Amino acid sequence: MKAGILFSGGKDSSLAALMLSRDYEAELNTFVFDENYDISGVKAAANVLGLPLRKRVFEEGLLDIVVEMMVKDGYPNDAINLVHRKAVYSLTDEYDVIGDGTRLNDRVPMLKYSEIQRIESKYKSALVRPLLGFTRREVNYLTERYFTVAYGETGQIMNGDYENEIRSAFTAKGHNPDKIFPDHHEQSLVTGMKSEKKW
């Protein structure tokens, strides 16, 4: 059975993909707003995992909606959840199982339980979140066992996180993204697999 995994190339989505690849035919899916957006770092992370990667493009106009929502709300949470929801729903036509790397302590992105039930009942797909029972500390522990990882602030690490393109759109529209997004938001990108460890 195929599982389509939302993949940024970071440690959380990589660990989730590694876990799901034990029991499913896993495919990685990275979403971008602009088809020309460079995902070479994400491709390298997918190669580390040895899993196929598909680059997908959100519908035109979504980025404008997201920026407007954030400016109006003054915070990113609802807009990021909207983007995540769009990504999940877009995979329901192709996969029986959709995976993501959300953890126990995550607030964003995070779908409500009622939305997950709707995905299963209406679209006949299951949203599987293998890290949901893991705290950040435990994810870091497992990450350290299996991967080498590069860390940096958003914009310095060119992973497939939605935030990179959203920040660029803010700047292009004359808004300061630092007023919306939290300071010191560390991102990650998987750069290698520790060969001595086997899943």
Side-chain angles (χ1 to χ4, degrees), residues 50-100:
L51 296 172
L53 173 69
R54 296 182 68 181
K55 181 180 183 180
R56 298 183 182 265
V57 182
F58 285 118
E59 74 249 23
E60 192 173 337
L62 179 61
L63 185 55
D64 291 331
I65 292 168
V66 166
V67 170
E68 287 171 18
M69 277 181 75
M70 288 184 182
V71 169
K72 180 184 172 205
D73 295 344
Y75 59 88
N77 297 18
D78 292 342
I80 296 292
N81 279 334
L82 170 67
V83 172
H84 188 67
R85 186 178 300 111
K86 293 274 190 185
V88 169
Y89 275 81
S90 73
L91 297 181
T92 58
D93 288 338
E94 290 185 49
Y95 299 103
D96 295 319
V97 173
I98 300 160
D100 77 17

mmCIF file of all heavy atoms in Angstrom, residues 50-100:
data_model
loop_
_atom_site.group_PDB
_atom_site.id
_atom_site.type_symbol
_atom_site.label_atom_id
_atom_site.label_comp_id
_atom_site.label_asym_id
_atom_site.label_seq_id
_atom_site.Cartn_x
_atom_site.Cartn_y
_atom_site.Cartn_z
ATOM 1 N N GLY A 50 16.541 7.477 0.455
ATOM 2 C CA GLY A 50 16.350 6.482 -0.598
ATOM 3 C C GLY A 50 14.899 6.327 -1.010
ATOM 4 O O GLY A 50 14.483 5.253 -1.453
ATOM 5 N N LEU A 51 14.129 7.412 -0.896
ATOM 6 C CA LEU A 51 12.702 7.367 -1.221
ATOM 7 C C LEU A 51 12.405 8.340 -2.355
ATOM 8 O O LEU A 51 13.023 9.395 -2.452
ATOM 9 C CB LEU A 51 11.860 7.734 0.005
ATOM 10 C CG LEU A 51 11.954 6.775 1.190
ATOM 11 C CD1 LEU A 51 11.226 7.347 2.406
ATOM 12 C CD2 LEU A 51 11.386 5.398 0.824
ATOM 13 N N PRO A 52 11.429 7.985 -3.207
ATOM 14 C CA PRO A 52 11.078 8.885 -4.314
ATOM 15 C C PRO A 52 10.409 10.156 -3.810
ATOM 16 O O PRO A 52 9.677 10.131 -2.813
ATOM 17 C CB PRO A 52 10.110 8.042 -5.163
ATOM 18 C CG PRO A 52 9.555 7.015 -4.234
ATOM 19 C CD PRO A 52 10.630 6.750 -3.213
ATOM 20 N N LEU A 53 10.675 11.243 -4.524
ATOM 21 C CA LEU A 53 10.153 12.559 -4.145
ATOM 22 C C LEU A 53 9.353 13.145 -5.298
ATOM 23 O O LEU A 53 9.792 13.104 -6.445
ATOM 24 C CB LEU A 53 11.315 13.501 -3.803
ATOM 25 C CG LEU A 53 10.957 14.966 -3.555
ATOM 26 C CD1 LEU A 53 10.161 15.128 -2.267
ATOM 27 C CD2 LEU A 53 12.217 15.817 -3.512
ATOM 28 N N ARG A 54 8.189 13.716 -4.958
ATOM 29 C CA ARG A 54 7.382 14.430 -5.937
ATOM 30 C C ARG A 54 7.231 15.881 -5.498
ATOM 31 O O ARG A 54 6.883 16.146 -4.354
ATOM 32 C CB ARG A 54 6.010 13.781 -6.073
ATOM 33 C CG ARG A 54 6.110 12.357 -6.623
ATOM 34 C CD ARG A 54 4.769 11.730 -6.804
ATOM 35 N NE ARG A 54 4.051 12.409 -7.876
ATOM 36 C CZ ARG A 54 2.821 12.073 -8.254
ATOM 37 N NH1 ARG A 54 2.186 11.092 -7.658
ATOM 38 N NH2 ARG A 54 2.228 12.725 -9.216
ATOM 39 N N LYS A 55 7.546 16.779 -6.409
ATOM 40 C CA LYS A 55 7.348 18.211 -6.156
ATOM 41 C C LYS A 55 5.943 18.565 -6.636
ATOM 42 O O LYS A 55 5.585 18.316 -7.772
ATOM 43 C CB LYS A 55 8.397 19.016 -6.929
ATOM 44 C CG LYS A 55 8.308 20.519 -6.735
ATOM 45 C CD LYS A 55 9.389 21.203 -7.560
ATOM 46 C CE LYS A 55 9.422 22.685 -7.383
ATOM 47 N NZ LYS A 55 10.487 23.322 -8.194
ATOM 48 N N ARG A 56 5.174 19.172 -5.745
ATOM 49 C CA ARG A 56 3.792 19.543 -6.065
ATOM 50 C C ARG A 56 3.625 21.041 -5.872
ATOM 51 O O ARG A 56 4.245 21.623 -4.993
ATOM 52 C CB ARG A 56 2.822 18.779 -5.186
ATOM 53 C CG ARG A 56 2.921 17.262 -5.407
ATOM 54 C CD ARG A 56 1.911 16.531 -4.574
ATOM 55 N NE ARG A 56 2.011 15.106 -4.726
ATOM 56 C CZ ARG A 56 1.271 14.382 -5.573
ATOM 57 N NH1 ARG A 56 0.369 14.968 -6.331
ATOM 58 N NH2 ARG A 56 1.415 13.075 -5.626
ATOM 59 N N VAL A 57 2.764 21.621 -6.686
ATOM 60 C CA VAL A 57 2.559 23.065 -6.663
ATOM 61 C C VAL A 57 1.135 23.353 -6.201
ATOM 62 O O VAL A 57 0.172 22.801 -6.738
ATOM 63 C CB VAL A 57 2.806 23.677 -8.059
ATOM 64 C CG1 VAL A 57 2.639 25.195 -8.015
ATOM 65 C CG2 VAL A 57 4.191 23.302 -8.580
ATOM 66 N N PHE A 58 1.024 24.205 -5.179
ATOM 67 C CA PHE A 58 -0.296 24.622 -4.707
ATOM 68 C C PHE A 58 -1.017 25.399 -5.797
ATOM 69 O O PHE A 58 -0.391 25.959 -6.696
ATOM 70 C CB PHE A 58 -0.164 25.527 -3.478
ATOM 71 C CG PHE A 58 0.187 24.805 -2.215
ATOM 72 C CD1 PHE A 58 1.380 25.084 -1.559
ATOM 73 C CD2 PHE A 58 -0.679 23.879 -1.655
ATOM 74 C CE1 PHE A 58 1.702 24.446 -0.378
ATOM 75 C CE2 PHE A 58 -0.362 23.223 -0.476
ATOM 76 C CZ PHE A 58 0.828 23.513 0.166
ATOM 77 N N GLU A 59 -2.347 25.471 -5.660
ATOM 78 C CA GLU A 59 -3.126 26.232 -6.638
ATOM 79 C C GLU A 59 -2.748 27.709 -6.606
ATOM 80 O O GLU A 59 -2.382 28.251 -5.567
ATOM 81 C CB GLU A 59 -4.629 26.062 -6.391
ATOM 82 C CG GLU A 59 -5.143 26.820 -5.183
ATOM 83 C CD GLU A 59 -5.574 25.945 -4.025
ATOM 84 O OE1 GLU A 59 -5.107 24.802 -3.925
ATOM 85 O OE2 GLU A 59 -6.389 26.420 -3.219
ATOM 86 N N GLU A 60 -2.855 28.321 -7.757
ATOM 87 C CA GLU A 60 -2.510 29.739 -7.886
ATOM 88 C C GLU A 60 -3.399 30.583 -6.974
ATOM 89 O O GLU A 60 -4.598 30.327 -6.848
ATOM 90 C CB GLU A 60 -2.689 30.174 -9.347
ATOM 91 C CG GLU A 60 -2.098 31.517 -9.650
ATOM 92 C CD GLU A 60 -2.146 31.846 -11.134
ATOM 93 O OE1 GLU A 60 -2.227 30.919 -11.960
ATOM 94 O OE2 GLU A 60 -2.099 33.047 -11.443
ATOM 95 N N GLY A 61 -2.818 31.545 -6.338
ATOM 96 C CA GLY A 61 -3.571 32.457 -5.478
ATOM 97 C C GLY A 61 -3.535 32.094 -4.007
ATOM 98 O O GLY A 61 -3.863 32.936 -3.159
ATOM 99 N N LEU A 62 -3.135 30.863 -3.685
ATOM 100 C CA LEU A 62 -3.124 30.454 -2.276
ATOM 101 C C LEU A 62 -2.128 31.281 -1.464
ATOM 102 O O LEU A 62 -2.425 31.677 -0.338
ATOM 103 C CB LEU A 62 -2.813 28.960 -2.138
ATOM 104 C CG LEU A 62 -2.749 28.429 -0.699
ATOM 105 C CD1 LEU A 62 -4.089 28.614 0.023
ATOM 106 C CD2 LEU A 62 -2.326 26.957 -0.681
ATOM 107 N N LEU A 63 -0.980 31.565 -2.036
ATOM 108 C CA LEU A 63 0.028 32.330 -1.309
ATOM 109 C C LEU A 63 -0.494 33.726 -0.940
ATOM 110 O O LEU A 63 -0.265 34.209 0.168
ATOM 111 C CB LEU A 63 1.316 32.437 -2.124
ATOM 112 C CG LEU A 63 2.508 33.115 -1.455
ATOM 113 C CD1 LEU A 63 2.853 32.456 -0.120
ATOM 114 C CD2 LEU A 63 3.718 33.096 -2.381
ATOM 115 N N ASP A 64 -1.219 34.354 -1.851
ATOM 116 C CA ASP A 64 -1.805 35.671 -1.551
ATOM 117 C C ASP A 64 -2.802 35.578 -0.402
ATOM 118 O O ASP A 64 -2.830 36.439 0.485
ATOM 119 C CB ASP A 64 -2.505 36.247 -2.791
ATOM 120 C CG ASP A 64 -1.530 36.627 -3.885
ATOM 121 O OD1 ASP A 64 -0.378 36.970 -3.563
ATOM 122 O OD2 ASP A 64 -1.911 36.566 -5.069
ATOM 123 N N ILE A 65 -3.622 34.537 -0.409
ATOM 124 C CA ILE A 65 -4.596 34.331 0.666
ATOM 125 C C ILE A 65 -3.887 34.149 2.006
ATOM 126 O O ILE A 65 -4.284 34.719 3.023
ATOM 127 C CB ILE A 65 -5.498 33.105 0.357
ATOM 128 C CG1 ILE A 65 -6.400 33.406 -0.841
ATOM 129 C CG2 ILE A 65 -6.317 32.685 1.577
ATOM 130 C CD1 ILE A 65 -7.118 32.187 -1.398
ATOM 131 N N VAL A 66 -2.820 33.369 1.991
ATOM 132 C CA VAL A 66 -2.058 33.088 3.203
ATOM 133 C C VAL A 66 -1.444 34.371 3.774
ATOM 134 O O VAL A 66 -1.542 34.642 4.979
ATOM 135 C CB VAL A 66 -0.969 32.022 2.915
ATOM 136 C CG1 VAL A 66 0.041 31.948 4.038
ATOM 137 C CG2 VAL A 66 -1.620 30.663 2.683
ATOM 138 N N VAL A 67 -0.825 35.170 2.917
ATOM 139 C CA VAL A 67 -0.214 36.426 3.378
ATOM 140 C C VAL A 67 -1.285 37.351 3.949
ATOM 141 O O VAL A 67 -1.115 37.934 5.024
ATOM 142 C CB VAL A 67 0.573 37.108 2.232
ATOM 143 C CG1 VAL A 67 0.993 38.513 2.632
ATOM 144 C CG2 VAL A 67 1.793 36.278 1.859
ATOM 145 N N GLU A 68 -2.416 37.477 3.252
ATOM 146 C CA GLU A 68 -3.503 38.340 3.729
ATOM 147 C C GLU A 68 -4.034 37.869 5.085
ATOM 148 O O GLU A 68 -4.312 38.683 5.971
ATOM 149 C CB GLU A 68 -4.633 38.379 2.704
ATOM 150 C CG GLU A 68 -4.294 39.187 1.471
ATOM 151 C CD GLU A 68 -5.333 39.034 0.364
ATOM 152 O OE1 GLU A 68 -6.462 38.582 0.652
ATOM 153 O OE2 GLU A 68 -5.005 39.354 -0.795
ATOM 154 N N MET A 69 -4.176 36.561 5.245
ATOM 155 C CA MET A 69 -4.644 36.015 6.527
ATOM 156 C C MET A 69 -3.693 36.373 7.651
ATOM 157 O O MET A 69 -4.108 36.794 8.731
ATOM 158 C CB MET A 69 -4.761 34.480 6.458
ATOM 159 C CG MET A 69 -6.030 33.948 5.870
ATOM 160 S SD MET A 69 -6.043 32.119 5.887
ATOM 161 C CE MET A 69 -6.362 31.794 7.605
ATOM 162 N N MET A 70 -2.414 36.219 7.401
ATOM 163 C CA MET A 70 -1.414 36.478 8.440
ATOM 164 C C MET A 70 -1.363 37.950 8.814
ATOM 165 O O MET A 70 -1.246 38.293 9.993
ATOM 166 C CB MET A 70 -0.040 35.993 7.994
ATOM 167 C CG MET A 70 0.099 34.491 7.960
ATOM 168 S SD MET A 70 1.789 34.021 7.541
ATOM 169 C CE MET A 70 1.636 32.243 7.506
ATOM 170 N N VAL A 71 -1.451 38.816 7.810
ATOM 171 C CA VAL A 71 -1.445 40.253 8.082
ATOM 172 C C VAL A 71 -2.677 40.628 8.904
ATOM 173 O O VAL A 71 -2.587 41.375 9.889
ATOM 174 C CB VAL A 71 -1.387 41.061 6.766
ATOM 175 C CG1 VAL A 71 -1.650 42.540 7.017
ATOM 176 C CG2 VAL A 71 -0.035 40.867 6.081
ATOM 177 N N LYS A 72 -3.819 40.086 8.526
ATOM 178 C CA LYS A 72 -5.066 40.382 9.241
ATOM 179 C C LYS A 72 -5.039 39.837 10.666
ATOM 180 O O LYS A 72 -5.418 40.523 11.620
ATOM 181 C CB LYS A 72 -6.251 39.794 8.482
ATOM 182 C CG LYS A 72 -7.597 40.047 9.126
ATOM 183 C CD LYS A 72 -8.713 39.365 8.366
ATOM 184 C CE LYS A 72 -9.991 39.475 9.155
ATOM 185 N NZ LYS A 72 -10.936 38.420 8.852
ATOM 186 N N ASP A 73 -4.597 38.584 10.819
ATOM 187 C CA ASP A 73 -4.600 37.938 12.135
ATOM 188 C C ASP A 73 -3.474 38.438 13.036
ATOM 189 O O ASP A 73 -3.606 38.436 14.258
ATOM 190 C CB ASP A 73 -4.472 36.413 11.996
ATOM 191 C CG ASP A 73 -5.665 35.770 11.312
ATOM 192 O OD1 ASP A 73 -6.728 36.433 11.202
ATOM 193 O OD2 ASP A 73 -5.543 34.609 10.873
ATOM 194 N N GLY A 74 -2.348 38.785 12.427
ATOM 195 C CA GLY A 74 -1.190 39.200 13.203
ATOM 196 C C GLY A 74 -0.361 38.034 13.713
ATOM 197 O O GLY A 74 0.575 38.223 14.483
ATOM 198 N N TYR A 75 -0.689 36.841 13.291
ATOM 199 C CA TYR A 75 0.077 35.639 13.657
ATOM 200 C C TYR A 75 -0.097 34.591 12.551
ATOM 201 O O TYR A 75 -1.042 34.668 11.767
ATOM 202 C CB TYR A 75 -0.361 35.085 15.018
ATOM 203 C CG TYR A 75 -1.826 34.698 15.094
ATOM 204 C CD1 TYR A 75 -2.252 33.427 14.731
ATOM 205 C CD2 TYR A 75 -2.779 35.612 15.528
ATOM 206 C CE1 TYR A 75 -3.588 33.078 14.786
ATOM 207 C CE2 TYR A 75 -4.119 35.278 15.596
ATOM 208 C CZ TYR A 75 -4.518 34.002 15.220
ATOM 209 O OH TYR A 75 -5.834 33.671 15.268
ATOM 210 N N PRO A 76 0.790 33.595 12.471
ATOM 211 C CA PRO A 76 0.773 32.680 11.326
ATOM 212 C C PRO A 76 -0.063 31.412 11.478
ATOM 213 O O PRO A 76 -0.299 30.723 10.492
ATOM 214 C CB PRO A 76 2.251 32.307 11.176
ATOM 215 C CG PRO A 76 2.780 32.371 12.559
ATOM 216 C CD PRO A 76 2.026 33.488 13.250
ATOM 217 N N ASN A 77 -0.526 31.081 12.683
ATOM 218 C CA ASN A 77 -1.069 29.752 12.946
ATOM 219 C C ASN A 77 -2.185 29.305 12.002
ATOM 220 O O ASN A 77 -2.122 28.222 11.409
ATOM 221 C CB ASN A 77 -1.561 29.663 14.392
ATOM 222 C CG ASN A 77 -0.439 29.844 15.387
ATOM 223 O OD1 ASN A 77 0.620 30.349 15.064
ATOM 224 N ND2 ASN A 77 -0.679 29.452 16.619
ATOM 225 N N ASP A 78 -3.240 30.094 11.880
ATOM 226 C CA ASP A 78 -4.385 29.681 11.062
ATOM 227 C C ASP A 78 -4.006 29.538 9.596
ATOM 228 O O ASP A 78 -4.471 28.622 8.912
ATOM 229 C CB ASP A 78 -5.545 30.670 11.214
ATOM 230 C CG ASP A 78 -6.161 30.635 12.599
ATOM 231 O OD1 ASP A 78 -5.936 29.646 13.334
ATOM 232 O OD2 ASP A 78 -6.868 31.601 12.964
ATOM 233 N N ALA A 79 -3.169 30.429 9.114
ATOM 234 C CA ALA A 79 -2.754 30.370 7.710
ATOM 235 C C ALA A 79 -1.883 29.137 7.441
ATOM 236 O O ALA A 79 -2.045 28.472 6.417
ATOM 237 C CB ALA A 79 -2.014 31.641 7.324
ATOM 238 N N ILE A 80 -0.970 28.831 8.347
ATOM 239 C CA ILE A 80 -0.129 27.636 8.175
ATOM 240 C C ILE A 80 -0.990 26.376 8.228
ATOM 241 O O ILE A 80 -0.791 25.439 7.449
ATOM 242 C CB ILE A 80 0.985 27.577 9.249
ATOM 243 C CG1 ILE A 80 1.950 28.751 9.088
ATOM 244 C CG2 ILE A 80 1.731 26.243 9.198
ATOM 245 C CD1 ILE A 80 2.800 28.727 7.845
ATOM 246 N N ASN A 81 -1.974 26.346 9.118
ATOM 247 C CA ASN A 81 -2.887 25.204 9.160
ATOM 248 C C ASN A 81 -3.679 25.082 7.864
ATOM 249 O O ASN A 81 -3.932 23.970 7.388
ATOM 250 C CB ASN A 81 -3.829 25.303 10.358
ATOM 251 C CG ASN A 81 -3.182 24.823 11.637
ATOM 252 O OD1 ASN A 81 -2.268 23.999 11.618
ATOM 253 N ND2 ASN A 81 -3.622 25.347 12.760
ATOM 254 N N LEU A 82 -4.076 26.202 7.281
ATOM 255 C CA LEU A 82 -4.772 26.175 5.990
ATOM 256 C C LEU A 82 -3.890 25.552 4.915
ATOM 257 O O LEU A 82 -4.331 24.683 4.154
ATOM 258 C CB LEU A 82 -5.185 27.593 5.577
ATOM 259 C CG LEU A 82 -5.717 27.740 4.146
ATOM 260 C CD1 LEU A 82 -7.050 27.014 3.983
ATOM 261 C CD2 LEU A 82 -5.844 29.208 3.764
ATOM 262 N N VAL A 83 -2.643 25.965 4.855
ATOM 263 C CA VAL A 83 -1.704 25.431 3.861
ATOM 264 C C VAL A 83 -1.525 23.928 4.073
ATOM 265 O O VAL A 83 -1.570 23.135 3.117
ATOM 266 C CB VAL A 83 -0.348 26.166 3.944
ATOM 267 C CG1 VAL A 83 0.692 25.500 3.052
ATOM 268 C CG2 VAL A 83 -0.517 27.628 3.564
ATOM 269 N N HIS A 84 -1.341 23.534 5.317
ATOM 270 C CA HIS A 84 -1.163 22.114 5.633
ATOM 271 C C HIS A 84 -2.400 21.305 5.237
ATOM 272 O O HIS A 84 -2.293 20.231 4.643
ATOM 273 C CB HIS A 84 -0.878 21.973 7.133
ATOM 274 C CG HIS A 84 -0.483 20.601 7.548
ATOM 275 N ND1 HIS A 84 0.700 20.009 7.167
ATOM 276 C CD2 HIS A 84 -1.122 19.679 8.324
ATOM 277 C CE1 HIS A 84 0.780 18.801 7.687
ATOM 278 N NE2 HIS A 84 -0.315 18.578 8.388
ATOM 279 N N ARG A 85 -3.562 21.843 5.551
ATOM 280 C CA ARG A 85 -4.827 21.182 5.210
ATOM 281 C C ARG A 85 -4.940 20.997 3.690
ATOM 282 O O ARG A 85 -5.318 19.924 3.206
ATOM 283 C CB ARG A 85 -5.992 22.015 5.734
ATOM 284 C CG ARG A 85 -7.359 21.389 5.585
ATOM 285 C CD ARG A 85 -8.456 22.272 6.169
ATOM 286 N NE ARG A 85 -8.253 22.512 7.589
ATOM 287 C CZ ARG A 85 -7.913 23.706 8.111
ATOM 288 N NH1 ARG A 85 -7.769 24.768 7.347
ATOM 289 N NH2 ARG A 85 -7.750 23.838 9.414
ATOM 290 N N LYS A 86 -4.592 22.039 2.930
ATOM 291 C CA LYS A 86 -4.642 21.958 1.461
ATOM 292 C C LYS A 86 -3.708 20.859 0.955
ATOM 293 O O LYS A 86 -4.054 20.116 0.036
ATOM 294 C CB LYS A 86 -4.243 23.297 0.838
ATOM 295 C CG LYS A 86 -5.218 24.415 1.084
ATOM 296 C CD LYS A 86 -6.302 24.417 0.054
ATOM 297 C CE LYS A 86 -7.141 25.686 0.170
ATOM 298 N NZ LYS A 86 -8.273 25.655 -0.755
ATOM 299 N N ALA A 87 -2.519 20.774 1.543
ATOM 300 C CA ALA A 87 -1.561 19.745 1.128
ATOM 301 C C ALA A 87 -2.108 18.355 1.410
ATOM 302 O O ALA A 87 -2.078 17.473 0.544
ATOM 303 C CB ALA A 87 -0.230 19.957 1.845
ATOM 304 N N VAL A 88 -2.641 18.153 2.607
ATOM 305 C CA VAL A 88 -3.184 16.840 2.976
ATOM 306 C C VAL A 88 -4.327 16.452 2.045
ATOM 307 O O VAL A 88 -4.348 15.354 1.473
ATOM 308 C CB VAL A 88 -3.641 16.824 4.452
ATOM 309 C CG1 VAL A 88 -4.451 15.576 4.757
ATOM 310 C CG2 VAL A 88 -2.440 16.923 5.392
ATOM 311 N N TYR A 89 -5.288 17.351 1.883
ATOM 312 C CA TYR A 89 -6.461 17.039 1.066
ATOM 313 C C TYR A 89 -6.086 16.767 -0.384
ATOM 314 O O TYR A 89 -6.723 15.949 -1.050
ATOM 315 C CB TYR A 89 -7.492 18.168 1.149
ATOM 316 C CG TYR A 89 -8.406 18.062 2.340
ATOM 317 C CD1 TYR A 89 -7.993 18.505 3.588
ATOM 318 C CD2 TYR A 89 -9.675 17.513 2.233
ATOM 319 C CE1 TYR A 89 -8.819 18.412 4.694
ATOM 320 C CE2 TYR A 89 -10.517 17.411 3.336
ATOM 321 C CZ TYR A 89 -10.081 17.867 4.566
ATOM 322 O OH TYR A 89 -10.905 17.762 5.664
ATOM 323 N N SER A 90 -5.062 17.439 -0.889
ATOM 324 C CA SER A 90 -4.689 17.237 -2.290
ATOM 325 C C SER A 90 -4.119 15.837 -2.540
ATOM 326 O O SER A 90 -4.099 15.378 -3.682
ATOM 327 C CB SER A 90 -3.691 18.297 -2.736
ATOM 328 O OG SER A 90 -2.426 18.065 -2.176
ATOM 329 N N LEU A 91 -3.673 15.172 -1.492
ATOM 330 C CA LEU A 91 -3.109 13.826 -1.651
ATOM 331 C C LEU A 91 -4.148 12.719 -1.517
ATOM 332 O O LEU A 91 -3.844 11.551 -1.791
ATOM 333 C CB LEU A 91 -1.986 13.606 -0.624
ATOM 334 C CG LEU A 91 -0.766 14.509 -0.757
ATOM 335 C CD1 LEU A 91 0.267 14.164 0.318
ATOM 336 C CD2 LEU A 91 -0.140 14.416 -2.138
ATOM 337 N N THR A 92 -5.367 13.070 -1.098
ATOM 338 C CA THR A 92 -6.370 12.028 -0.839
ATOM 339 C C THR A 92 -6.788 11.272 -2.096
ATOM 340 O O THR A 92 -7.245 10.138 -1.996
ATOM 341 C CB THR A 92 -7.623 12.612 -0.154
ATOM 342 O OG1 THR A 92 -8.178 13.640 -0.977
ATOM 343 C CG2 THR A 92 -7.292 13.154 1.226
ATOM 344 N N ASP A 93 -6.639 11.881 -3.269
ATOM 345 C CA ASP A 93 -7.012 11.186 -4.509
ATOM 346 C C ASP A 93 -6.007 10.113 -4.901
ATOM 347 O O ASP A 93 -6.345 9.187 -5.633
ATOM 348 C CB ASP A 93 -7.133 12.183 -5.674
ATOM 349 C CG ASP A 93 -8.365 13.056 -5.557
ATOM 350 O OD1 ASP A 93 -9.317 12.659 -4.867
ATOM 351 O OD2 ASP A 93 -8.366 14.150 -6.158
ATOM 352 N N GLU A 94 -4.779 10.229 -4.421
ATOM 353 C CA GLU A 94 -3.722 9.320 -4.858
ATOM 354 C C GLU A 94 -3.289 8.281 -3.835
ATOM 355 O O GLU A 94 -2.742 7.251 -4.207
ATOM 356 C CB GLU A 94 -2.488 10.129 -5.264
ATOM 357 C CG GLU A 94 -2.669 10.917 -6.527
ATOM 358 C CD GLU A 94 -1.387 11.605 -6.940
ATOM 359 O OE1 GLU A 94 -0.334 10.933 -6.965
ATOM 360 O OE2 GLU A 94 -1.448 12.812 -7.210
ATOM 361 N N TYR A 95 -3.489 8.589 -2.549
ATOM 362 C CA TYR A 95 -2.929 7.712 -1.523
ATOM 363 C C TYR A 95 -4.007 7.258 -0.537
ATOM 364 O O TYR A 95 -4.850 8.052 -0.122
ATOM 365 C CB TYR A 95 -1.835 8.447 -0.735
ATOM 366 C CG TYR A 95 -0.666 8.890 -1.565
ATOM 367 C CD1 TYR A 95 -0.527 10.227 -1.941
ATOM 368 C CD2 TYR A 95 0.309 7.986 -1.976
ATOM 369 C CE1 TYR A 95 0.556 10.650 -2.696
ATOM 370 C CE2 TYR A 95 1.394 8.414 -2.729
ATOM 371 C CZ TYR A 95 1.510 9.736 -3.097
ATOM 372 O OH TYR A 95 2.582 10.147 -3.841
ATOM 373 N N ASP A 96 -3.908 6.005 -0.140
ATOM 374 C CA ASP A 96 -4.773 5.494 0.932
ATOM 375 C C ASP A 96 -4.283 5.972 2.289
ATOM 376 O O ASP A 96 -5.049 6.066 3.240
ATOM 377 C CB ASP A 96 -4.795 3.958 0.924
ATOM 378 C CG ASP A 96 -5.440 3.407 -0.334
ATOM 379 O OD1 ASP A 96 -6.462 3.967 -0.764
ATOM 380 O OD2 ASP A 96 -4.903 2.431 -0.894
ATOM 381 N N VAL A 97 -2.991 6.240 2.365
ATOM 382 C CA VAL A 97 -2.374 6.692 3.610
ATOM 383 C C VAL A 97 -1.590 7.970 3.322
ATOM 384 O O VAL A 97 -0.832 8.041 2.355
ATOM 385 C CB VAL A 97 -1.426 5.617 4.195
ATOM 386 C CG1 VAL A 97 -0.661 6.149 5.390
ATOM 387 C CG2 VAL A 97 -2.202 4.364 4.560
ATOM 388 N N ILE A 98 -1.796 8.984 4.171
ATOM 389 C CA ILE A 98 -1.060 10.232 4.077
ATOM 390 C C ILE A 98 -0.338 10.415 5.410
ATOM 391 O O ILE A 98 -0.951 10.286 6.471
ATOM 392 C CB ILE A 98 -2.007 11.415 3.804
ATOM 393 C CG1 ILE A 98 -2.744 11.190 2.479
ATOM 394 C CG2 ILE A 98 -1.224 12.737 3.775
ATOM 395 C CD1 ILE A 98 -3.989 12.001 2.341
ATOM 396 N N GLY A 99 0.936 10.677 5.347
ATOM 397 C CA GLY A 99 1.719 10.819 6.570
ATOM 398 C C GLY A 99 2.287 12.218 6.710
ATOM 399 O O GLY A 99 2.534 12.899 5.718
ATOM 400 N N ASP A 100 2.471 12.633 7.946
ATOM 401 C CA ASP A 100 3.179 13.883 8.198
ATOM 402 C C ASP A 100 4.022 13.756 9.446
ATOM 403 O O ASP A 100 3.972 12.752 10.148
ATOM 404 C CB ASP A 100 2.234 15.094 8.223
ATOM 405 C CG ASP A 100 1.421 15.241 9.490
ATOM 406 O OD1 ASP A 100 1.755 14.635 10.519
ATOM 407 O OD2 ASP A 100 0.435 15.998 9.468
#
